[in-house]
Amino acid sequence: MTSTPSRRAILTGLAATAGHAALAEAPLSTMRPPPRGVATPRDGRTNELVAKSGVVGAVTFAVADAQTGEILDMRQQGRPMPPASTLKAVTSLYALDRLGADFRFETRVFADGEIVDGELKGDLCLVGGGDPTLTSDALADLSKVVAEAGISRISGRFLVWADALPRADRIDADQPEVVAYNPSYGGLNLNFNRVHFEWIPEGEKINITMQARSLRYSPETNVARMQMVDRSSPVYEYRKGMTADYWSVARGSLGKKAGARWLPVRFPALYAGDAFRSVARLNGLKLPFPQVSQTAPVGRVVGAAPSDALDQILTGMMRYSTNITAEAVGMTSSLVNDVPLGNLVGSGSRMAGWAETQFGTRRMTFRDHSGLGYDSEISARDMLEILRQGEGVEPLMKSLSVPDPNRTDGKPMAGVSAVAKTGTLNFVSALVGYMYTKSGRRLVFAILTADKQRRDSIPTEQRERPPGSRTWANRSRRLQKRLLSEWARQFERS
């Protein structure tokens, strides 16, 4: 076997190709005091920036001194707003507090029976531990371990178990069917629960594949199937079968050049099992098609695949904004004290309750952990307080340049730095993070903008690329940068 890249490199490569109640348990730490003081803008400049931005809808924000909590500038800071993917910053803090930075998910294989002359006299079970970063490469390495345990075939069933976490066939029911950022989730996930659809024209013929693609291994799958059809529209259609996803694509839409896109998977446990079966064959382990187990696994562990440490997983999640990672990490955090969890909405509510207890926040509604759903809301003031009091999320954020308003070449302000998490949905744009002024003063900020009326009027089938959404988002992003520049100038010193 050739030398292999690190697991972190594998996950980075996969993610880079990708194009969201009260807490049942007692808090793990005491509540910190609320911030002190409120200030109005020194010259009203930020109100003028908002007026000239062209952003239609609500513009809310709050910026504070990170050390003292003094509010330096604000606009409708108590208004509940959709956080979009900035909710992942809250999820990161939740997970670090509940699980710890060194926590690792683990995917295991159980053997129920004796091994006689290479044959397992019983069932083999692939057991998911909720890992949202599991890849086909990791399954290949795991299958090698199982084969080295002396198993080359089984007399019983090949089972997959996915009940370590609640399961559903999509994160948010209001998103378009074809978008890969809205896949299924559960206790057994693979390749972010996406399948790689590729087409390669050869003369008059078009070859198509559906693969569980990773960096070293890309087995074809029987759980997601594609058919080309002659029709003008829609480009893609989906039908859910009993054990497989059935897709069709308009032949004319593929054109004359090779191409590919990721599609969501709705049967993640079977998808992972099918991929394991394929890569296991390469290691001399023959398995039947998987069956989903409805009972907890039994037998002994014959192989295990641990994930990277949680802090590394969160770094990837924050960088690439992977929704399934947020959901799996969030639900695992909600289960830390073994209190039963019914669904994703319940887990989001537990996270909201945790934040209220930890930080004294109010009026939050979390329906998931990624921010993908339309019903999650938080105010700029509450988001700011979570970031100001929370520990460990700043290093997970990406660097952000703060433009110099006195320059026309787009270069950043000298001596000013920032890190942030962005959030974007249709007619929703958010930016939250930390900024250091020239004097080294540390500021924390939250900017939440949305035209919810326009967002809610978009038909579901148009929500992948609705007209006007990109223009609106660009205006909001420009306003966000201008606000940061103004705050860096106004509040350079305490």
Side-chain angles (χ1 to χ4, degrees), residues 317-335:
M317 178 193 76
M318 292 284 280
R319 180 175 183 181
Y320 298 109
S321 211
T322 43
N323 293 326
I324 186 174
T325 304
E327 309 306 0
V329 164
M331 287 189 292
T332 301
S333 302
S334 292
L335 286 166

Side-chain angles (χ1 to χ4, degrees), residues 258-282:
R261 74 168 288 168
W262 294 99
L263 293 169
V265 167
R266 307 298 183 205
F267 293 89
L270 289 176
Y271 179 58
D274 189 36
F276 184 84
R277 175 173 173 256
S278 295
V279 294
R281 192 180 305 118
L282 301 176

Side-chain angles (χ1 to χ4, degrees), residues 19-30:
H20 166 302
L23 188 67
E25 304 90 340
L28 299 185
S29 59
T30 58

Side-chain angles (χ1 to χ4, degrees), residues 17 59 63 212 222 349 356 362 426:
T17 61
V59 175
V63 59
N222 295 302
S349 295
E356 291 171 3
R362 295 291 183 268
N426 294 326

Side-chain angles (χ1 to χ4, degrees), residues 50 54-60 75-76 79 81 449-452 472:
V50 173
V55 177
V56 177
V59 175
T60 74
R75 178 186 172 91
Q76 299 184 36
R79 179 172 181 168
M81 296 284 286
T449 69
D451 186 347
K452 291 193 286 186
W472 185 95

Side-chain angles (χ1 to χ4, degrees), residues 9 116 134 145 163 169 182 204 350 379 418 426 438 452 486:
V116 180
L134 185 68
V145 173
D163 288 332
D169 63 4
N182 187 35
E204 298 299 318
R350 287 189 189 182
S379 69
N426 294 326
K438 291 180 181 179
K452 291 193 286 186
E486 184 61 21

Side-chain angles (χ1 to χ4, degrees), residues 138-169:
L139 287 184
D141 295 339
L142 179 57
S143 70
K144 182 179 180 181
V145 173
V146 175
E148 289 173 346
I151 303 174
S152 59
R153 60 193 183 279
I154 64 176
S155 64
R157 301 166 297 171
F158 173 40
L159 302 173
V160 290
W161 187 76
D163 288 332
L165 297 177
R167 291 187 275 162
D169 63 4

Side-chain angles (χ1 to χ4, degrees), residues 106-126:
E106 189 172 59
T107 305
R108 298 172 293 171
V109 175
F110 280 64
D112 183 21
E114 296 184 1
I115 303 172
V116 180
D117 296 329
E119 182 177 71
L120 172 64
K121 299 295 185 178
D123 297 336
L124 192 74
C125 186
L126 178 65

